[in-house]
Amino acid sequence: MIRVILTRILATVPVLLGIAVVAFFLVRLIPGDTVNVLMGQDFSDPVLEAEMRAFFGLDQPLPVQFWDWFSALLQGDLGHSMRSGEPVTQEILRRFPITVELAIAALLISLTVSIPVGIYTARNRNKGADAAARVASLIGLSLPNFWLGILLIYLFSVYFGVLPSSGHRDFAFTWQHFQYLILPSVTLGLSLAAVTMRMTRSSMLEVLGQDYIRTARAKGLGERAVVLRHGLRNALIPVVTVLGIQTGALLGGTVVIEQVFSWPGLGSQLVQSIQDRDYPMVQGLTVFLAFFFVLVSLIVDIAYRYLDPRMYRRG
């Protein structure tokens, strides 16, 4: 197991380095830079503009800018924000728990809904509940996140007035905190649940038709034991893949939801940094999110080997 983990880690190093290179050059394809944004269109002072570009290092050739940033990155330094002057790492770590909070809540909602419904519909294939669940999952896949979020805001904030429409409070086990989390997490969780439910149902249908399931039933095991002990563990293998992809994508993919609900996480920070042409912040966020996605993929590989011991023999 240790050898496999080390191999996976070494294989991700060139991927992360490649992402860092791409992030550096792609963000500079956007017209304008930090100096243009700070000075605005109605103010022009060539001397001040030249001084500001020298201060930020934007007067240097692109290869020199890249080497300065990349060499610092290899030492674990993501640089300083051009907008706030704060270290990029500090800004990321300040907002990271806020995005993680939203991601975990969305995943819990997704799992709470999708796994039981997927198992139930697989056991009741082609019945009324199965048809209703498939229609609901199709609707969940079709609805854009931002539209669902706006609809929930209208229902629970504007019409009923029971939940706040936007904002965030520091984490605490109080209703005042969790009421700000409900709408954005439900919006994200329902979309994730639609995908996970369909995958769980499909995987369970395949597993429940296997010979070892029929053997377990022939031995006199109860249906609950057959489904949960013998069927679910094997059916979860492709589901874990989907959950891993969703978890990695959640951190960077909450951009729209964070904008709709004014949630001050990494997604909203990334959008603001792009608008400000804050190159170090955009590059740092991109590398950080890529690292997290790679970390989740490693965890999924380890989970595979727990759920399917045959993976040990495959190396």
Side-chain angles (χ1 to χ4, degrees):
M1 174 66 75
I2 296 178
R3 182 177 63 83
V4 172
I5 294 175
L6 291 176
T7 302
R8 293 289 190 276
I9 293 175
L10 291 176
T12 60
V13 172
V15 174
L16 292 175
L17 293 178
I19 290 174
V21 174
V22 172
F24 178 89
F25 289 102
L26 279 184
V27 71
R28 282 163 173 75
L29 295 178
I30 305 174
D33 56 23
T34 304
V35 176
N36 298 128
V37 174
L38 291 175
M39 296 186 66
Q41 297 180 351
D42 300 328
F43 180 78
S44 177
D45 186 340
V47 176
L48 179 59
E49 184 175 340
E51 291 177 352
M52 292 180 67
R53 283 202 164 83
F55 176 79
F56 289 123
L58 298 177
D59 60 333
Q60 299 294 323
L62 203 58
V64 175
Q65 295 182 42
F66 172 75
W67 177 247
D68 290 341
W69 175 76
F70 193 72
S71 58
L73 175 65
L74 295 178
Q75 302 175 44
D77 182 9
L78 297 178
H80 288 70
S81 170
M82 291 180 173
R83 188 72 176 183
S84 65
E86 298 291 333
V88 171
T89 303
Q90 180 178 316
E91 292 277 347
I92 291 176
L93 293 180
R94 183 174 62 85
R95 290 176 177 258
F96 180 61
I98 300 175
T99 296
V100 169
E101 177 188 352
L102 176 58
I104 291 176
L107 281 175
L108 289 177
I109 292 173
S110 172
L111 292 175
T112 302
V113 173
S114 61
I115 300 298
V117 173
I119 295 173
Y120 182 80
T121 54
R123 292 183 58 193
N124 297 272
R125 183 180 183 181
N126 296 328
K127 294 184 179 180
D130 182 27
R134 281 186 290 171
V135 171
S137 67
L138 184 61
I139 294 175
L141 289 171
S142 304
L143 288 179
N145 275 343
F146 70 89
W147 189 88
L148 178 60
I150 294 173
L151 178 62
L152 292 179
I153 289 174
Y154 175 77
L155 288 176
F156 294 99
S157 300
V158 178
Y159 189 78
F160 293 110
V162 295
L163 292 173
S165 61
S166 62
H168 171 266
R169 285 194 174 187
D170 293 337
F171 184 80
F173 286 99
T174 61
W175 168 246
Q176 287 74 18
H177 169 77
F178 286 109
Q179 64 180 348
Y180 286 91
L181 182 62
I182 292 176
L183 290 184
S185 60
V186 168
T187 303
L188 272 177
L190 291 181
S191 300
L192 299 178
V195 178
T196 309
M197 189 278 287
R198 292 175 69 89
M199 179 59 70
T200 303
R201 176 185 179 276
S202 175
S203 184
M204 281 295 296
L205 285 175
E206 182 179 354
V207 168
L208 291 177
Q210 298 296 318
D211 291 338
Y212 65 87
I213 296 294
R214 288 191 288 268
T215 301
R217 286 173 174 153
K219 289 180 178 180
L221 290 178
E223 187 66 17
R224 182 184 181 87
V226 171
V227 172
L228 297 181
R229 188 185 308 169
H230 296 276
L232 183 59
R233 179 171 179 176
N234 291 282
L236 281 179
I237 295 176
V239 177
V240 167
T241 303
V242 174
L243 290 176
I245 295 173
Q246 289 178 341
T247 303
L250 266 178
L251 290 186
T254 57
V255 173
V256 175
I257 297 303
E258 289 186 3
Q259 291 294 306
V260 171
F261 292 97
S262 299
W263 191 265
L266 293 179
S268 58
Q269 176 67 30
L270 181 60
V271 172
Q272 187 62 49
S273 300
I274 293 174
Q275 293 175 349
D276 294 339
R277 307 298 191 271
D278 191 345
Y279 296 152
M281 184 63 70
V282 175
Q283 294 157 190
L285 281 169
T286 304
V287 172
F288 179 81
L289 293 174
F291 171 78
F292 188 85
F293 198 97
V294 168
L295 178 62
V296 171
S297 299
L298 177 62
I299 295 174
V300 169
D301 285 341
I302 297 174
Y304 275 164
R305 284 160 173 75
Y306 170 75
L307 293 172
D308 188 358
R310 294 172 297 180
M311 294 289 289
Y312 283 111
R313 296 191 292 270
R314 300 172 192 170

